[in-house]
């Protein structure tokens, strides 16, 4: 039997680290790449007798995401303990939200297709195991770092749709400054579940873990579709399982089967009060996220007539968007300014590893520079050098005047008239047909203007004068 008209059913569980200074229930910092086990305290190490205190910033960020995903908000939600034993979980349970999550029943549009969001909730991260050649070490720096979990309905019909969703979600997370959303660094983790449906018959749902890039999500799903299809074709059963993605061999491997499925024995967290969200808080955050990246992208393309790929780059960062739109109000040549921002300004940010709000030139300063540039007031060959000197504060905007290659219009006219007056004999030769002498006259004028003129412009001007008489 060859299976062709089967349907792919994919749902997602996404964990995302929230960009807060401190952990979810204690004041330990959330920074990474620190020495192991230094960002820890009795609360995140699960000592007996300590009390967790909820981080308000984490709630705000999770709420922002839930509203961006068009969710309904539970005005009162609850925390629960999820029990399991693992060396990276010092308390023996994880504080999460279970029956009543922060938000539910949302949706998100991917290429005009609605992906329903089942729930969005807050929970804490676990520690990290580090496997070396002959031992396994544990680092609790990550234990207690705030996570938001997003669970979608199984509305995806292809790996491609999943990829679009994750990419779009990443853009929102970065744009709204909710998370760094870097899959390679593990602050965005995606666990898809997948089954195939054929003639009202579905294979068992299989969940894939350990996917650390969008590319791997795509390949793992592709692999699993092929695998499940081949099993169904043999009229065999696809076993329900939790899988791991083996990146090297490019295949999924069984981590555990249904029989081994864990029972977490959830129960209400007795040390935390219900999480209460007011109408005012919701209204305030809704105001902050009025225009989401996709809408803004469309508007940028429309308003400034820029390439889609440039709009794409700009909307990734809300502050960059603000900078860009303010710059557009100041500059004469919007096209030039857009190109300069994408190529030169972003290069500086990259080199210095800084964000746009740390960029050394104020919007007005960059605007002034760009307007000189679009007026041809700066020597083309040296522009980048001048720009870097400005950025490094080796020169000021005032110094730009001395680079100006162009004399003011009236000044140039005056110089031309003076030179032609002096070179009467040469002018006569021109009028008698020796057109070649024009080069000599241009030379004289450029010299008189101390080189700060554009020879092409001078040529046009003298020819006009000479032909007129
Ligand atoms: Zn702590």
């Amino acid at each position: 039997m060859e299976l062709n008209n089967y349907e792919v059913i994919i749902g997602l569980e996404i964990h995302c680290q929230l960009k807060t200074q401190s952990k979810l229930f204690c004041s330990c910092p959330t920074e990474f790449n620190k020495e192991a086990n230094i960002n820890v305290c009795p609360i995140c190490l699960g000592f007996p007798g300590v009390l967790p205190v909820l981080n308000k910033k984490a709630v705000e960020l999770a709420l922002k995401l839930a509203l961006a995903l068009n969710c309904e908000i539970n005005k009162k939600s609850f925390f629960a303990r999820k029990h399991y034993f693992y060396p990276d979980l010092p308390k023996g349970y994880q504080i999460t939200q279970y029956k009543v999550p922060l938000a539910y029943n949302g949706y998100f549009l991917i290429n005009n297709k609605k992906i329903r969001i089942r729930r969005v909730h807050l929970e804490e991260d676990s520690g990290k195991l580090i496997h070396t050649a002959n031992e396994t070490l544990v680092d609790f720096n990550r234990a207690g770092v705030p996570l938001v979990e997003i669970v979608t309905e199984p509305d995806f019909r292809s790996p491609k749709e999943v990829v679009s969703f994750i990419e779009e979600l990443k853009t929102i997370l970065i744009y709204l400054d909710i998370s760094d959303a870097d899959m390679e660094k593990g602050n965005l983790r995606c666990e898809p579940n997948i089954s195939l449906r054929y003639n009202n018959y579905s294979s068992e749902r299989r969940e894939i873990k350990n996917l650390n890039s969008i590319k791997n999500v795509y390949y793992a799903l592709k692999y699993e579709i092929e695998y499940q299809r081949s099993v169904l074709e043999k009229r065999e059963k696809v076993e329900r399982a939790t899988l791991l993605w083996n990146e090297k061999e490019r295949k999924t491997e069984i981590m555990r089967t249904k029989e081994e499925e864990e029972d977490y024995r959830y129960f209400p967290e007795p040390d935390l009060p219900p999480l209460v969200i007011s109408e005012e808080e919701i209204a305030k955050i809704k105001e902050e996220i009025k225009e989401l990246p996709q809408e803004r992208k469309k508007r940028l393309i429309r308003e400034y007539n820029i390439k889609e790929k440039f709009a794409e780059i700009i909307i990734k960062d809300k502050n960059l968007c603000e900078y860009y739109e303010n710059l557009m109000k100041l500059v004469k040549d919007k096209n030039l300014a857009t190109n300069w921002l994408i190529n030169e300004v972003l290069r500086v940010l990259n080199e210095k590893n800084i964000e746009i709000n740390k960029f050394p030139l104020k919007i007005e300063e960059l605007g002034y520079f760009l307007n000189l540039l679009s007026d041809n007031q700066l020597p083309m060959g040296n522009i980048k050098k001048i720009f870097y000197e400005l950025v490094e504060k080796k020169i000021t905007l005032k110094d730009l005047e001395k680079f100006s290659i162009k004399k003011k219009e009236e000044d140039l006219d005056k110089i031309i008239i003076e030179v032609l007056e002096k070179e009467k004999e040469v002018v006569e030769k021109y009028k008698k047909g020796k057109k070649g002498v024009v080069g000599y006259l241009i030379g004289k004028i450029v010299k008189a203007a101390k080189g700060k003129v554009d020879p092409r412009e001078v040529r046009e001007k003298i020819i006009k004068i000479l032909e007129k008489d």
Side-chain angles (χ1 to χ4, degrees):
M1 174 184 76
E2 191 162 337
L3 218 54
N4 285 319
N5 50 340
Y6 60 89
E7 200 175 12
V8 176
I9 316 281
I10 305 170
L12 294 181
E13 255 176 48
I14 293 171
H15 285 89
C16 164
Q17 264 172 10
L18 296 170
K19 218 168 154 184
T20 56
Q21 299 287 320
S22 56
K23 292 186 181 180
L24 189 52
F25 301 115
C26 62
S27 54
C28 292
T30 52
E31 313 160 282
F32 291 112
N33 300 326
K34 285 267 176 180
E35 206 183 315
N37 296 308
I38 56 163
N39 293 341
V40 291
C41 74
I43 295 176
C44 54
L45 287 179
F47 284 18
V50 294
L51 278 179
V53 177
L54 182 60
N55 181 335
K56 281 212 176 84
K57 179 77 183 170
V59 175
E60 189 193 307
L61 296 180
L63 193 56
K64 202 175 256 186
L65 178 63
L67 290 170
L69 295 174
N70 305 296
C71 288
E72 290 174 52
I73 306 298
N74 275 316
K75 301 280 164 51
K76 204 183 213 182
S77 61
F78 300 88
F79 287 97
R81 292 184 177 182
K82 176 182 179 178
H83 294 87
Y84 64 96
F85 178 80
Y86 207 64
D88 64 5
L89 192 72
K91 291 200 284 274
Y93 61 85
Q94 176 194 27
I95 303 180
T96 179
Q97 295 193 290
Y98 187 48
K99 277 191 183 143
V100 187
L102 173 70
Y104 62 103
N105 199 21
Y107 68 88
F108 197 63
L109 292 176
I110 292 299
N111 306 324
N112 291 324
K113 181 183 164 174
K114 208 175 214 179
I115 303 294
R116 290 168 299 156
I117 308 291
R118 188 182 296 166
R119 56 187 278 149
V120 172
H121 72 248
L122 272 164
E123 64 183 34
E124 58 178 342
D125 210 343
S126 60
K128 213 177 194 170
L129 295 182
I130 299 146
H131 304 281
T132 66
N134 42 26
E135 57 191 350
T136 293
L137 304 165
V138 61
D139 175 6
F140 289 120
N141 283 346
R142 202 180 69 178
V145 164
L147 295 178
V148 66
E149 180 175 332
I150 305 154
V151 183
T152 78
E153 296 293 342
D155 288 346
F156 300 94
R157 293 293 167 270
S158 71
K160 239 176 149 177
E161 284 180 359
V162 172
V163 168
S164 303
F165 180 86
I166 301 172
E167 277 172 349
E168 193 47 39
L169 180 71
K170 271 183 77 164
T171 305
I172 289 188
L173 291 167
I174 296 167
Y175 179 85
L176 294 177
D177 212 17
I178 293 171
S179 170
D180 290 330
D182 189 334
M183 283 186 90
E184 275 80 8
K185 284 189 187 142
N187 45 39
L188 184 68
R189 291 165 239 160
C190 173
E191 288 160 9
N193 52 72
I194 172 163
S195 60
L196 299 193
R197 188 155 56 200
Y198 174 68
N199 272 354
N200 294 327
Y201 169 76
S202 279
S203 59
E204 291 273 358
R205 213 170 77 112
R206 288 153 75 89
E207 188 181 314
I208 316 170
K209 290 185 179 288
N210 203 25
L211 296 163
N212 58 3
S213 70
I214 294 183
K215 213 172 66 203
N216 283 342
V217 171
Y218 181 79
Y219 289 130
L221 286 171
K222 278 278 217 198
Y223 176 87
E224 203 44 40
I225 290 170
E226 272 316 298
Y227 169 78
Q228 294 190 17
R229 191 176 69 102
S230 69
V231 175
L232 290 180
E233 272 179 3
K234 284 184 267 176
R235 295 178 184 272
E236 287 170 9
K237 264 191 99 162
V238 174
E239 188 184 18
R240 176 159 183 178
T242 302
L243 310 165
L244 285 176
W245 175 242
N246 184 330
E247 195 181 346
K248 250 193 210 141
E249 292 180 35
R250 284 198 167 203
K251 59 178 207 170
T252 56
E253 287 166 353
I254 290 184
M255 183 179 148
R256 57 172 178 258
T257 54
K258 194 180 178 182
E259 290 72 42
E260 304 154 34
E261 203 75 4
E262 291 178 62
D263 178 1
Y264 295 117
R265 307 229 168 233
Y266 284 94
F267 75 67
E269 167 60 62
D271 290 341
L272 284 163
L275 170 54
V276 178
I277 309 284
S278 69
E279 280 293 347
E280 292 75 44
E281 277 170 277
I282 294 174
K284 191 183 139 241
I285 289 175
K286 272 190 177 160
E287 187 57 34
E288 281 174 37
I289 59 172
K290 261 196 311 214
E291 188 182 45
L292 285 171
Q294 276 313 314
E295 289 125 44
R296 194 160 193 175
K297 186 174 104 182
K298 283 184 200 143
R299 186 170 60 76
L300 293 184
I301 295 172
R302 200 172 58 233
E303 264 182 53
Y304 307 114
N305 196 19
I306 59 175
K307 288 184 195 143
E308 184 171 358
K309 65 171 185 188
F310 286 177
E312 198 90 49
I313 295 170
I314 295 167
I315 54 146
K316 287 254 149 71
D317 177 345
K318 200 175 178 186
N319 292 326
L320 185 63
C321 266
E322 301 297 334
Y323 190 98
Y324 177 71
E325 292 213 68
N326 284 321
L327 182 67
M328 285 297 114
K329 287 180 200 148
L330 299 176
V331 295
K332 294 180 193 165
D333 186 340
K334 293 187 168 38
N335 204 5
L336 172 94
T338 304
N339 279 308
W340 197 271
L341 183 94
I342 297 282
N343 293 315
E344 303 307 325
V345 176
L346 293 189
R347 190 204 315 266
V348 172
L349 298 186
N350 240 336
E351 278 168 11
K352 293 184 177 288
N353 196 18
I354 53 171
E355 311 225 342
I356 190 70
N357 43 16
K358 293 269 160 62
F359 183 62
L361 295 184
K362 285 194 211 109
I363 295 166
E364 301 75 47
E365 293 174 318
L366 182 61
Y368 180 80
F369 168 81
L370 290 170
N371 282 340
L372 286 183
L373 189 57
S374 61
D375 282 348
N376 291 320
Q377 298 268 4
L378 296 172
M380 280 310 279
N382 279 329
I383 288 167
K384 285 189 185 170
K385 188 167 165 264
I386 294 172
F387 176 69
Y388 285 105
E389 286 183 348
L390 262 182
V391 168
E392 296 299 339
K393 304 277 178 201
K394 284 181 183 152
I395 56 169
T396 64
L397 287 183
K398 251 195 138 351
D399 295 325
L400 288 182
E401 281 169 25
K402 79 175 179 223
F403 293 109
S404 174
I405 55 163
K406 221 165 135 191
K407 281 269 178 196
K408 277 197 194 127
E409 201 84 356
E410 322 75 272
D411 293 350
L412 180 57
D413 288 347
K414 221 172 102 195
I415 291 171
I416 292 176
I417 289 164
E418 276 170 16
V419 171
L420 293 183
E421 196 67 32
K422 237 191 242 170
E423 304 287 343
K424 264 187 190 147
E425 283 171 35
V426 184
V427 172
E428 278 312 305
K429 280 183 190 166
Y430 179 91
K431 286 182 177 167
K432 280 178 187 154
K434 280 192 88 178
K435 307 274 179 196
V437 296
V438 126
Y440 169 83
L441 292 172
I442 294 171
K444 285 281 171 192
I445 291 162
V446 171
K447 204 175 166 198
K450 299 197 174 79
K452 293 182 174 183
V453 285
D454 180 354
R456 281 166 304 178
E457 199 187 336
V458 173
R459 173 185 290 272
E460 268 171 42
K461 278 181 183 281
I462 24 182
I463 287 178
K464 229 186 230 167
I465 294 171
L466 296 176
E467 297 291 331
K468 203 170 66 188
D469 300 336

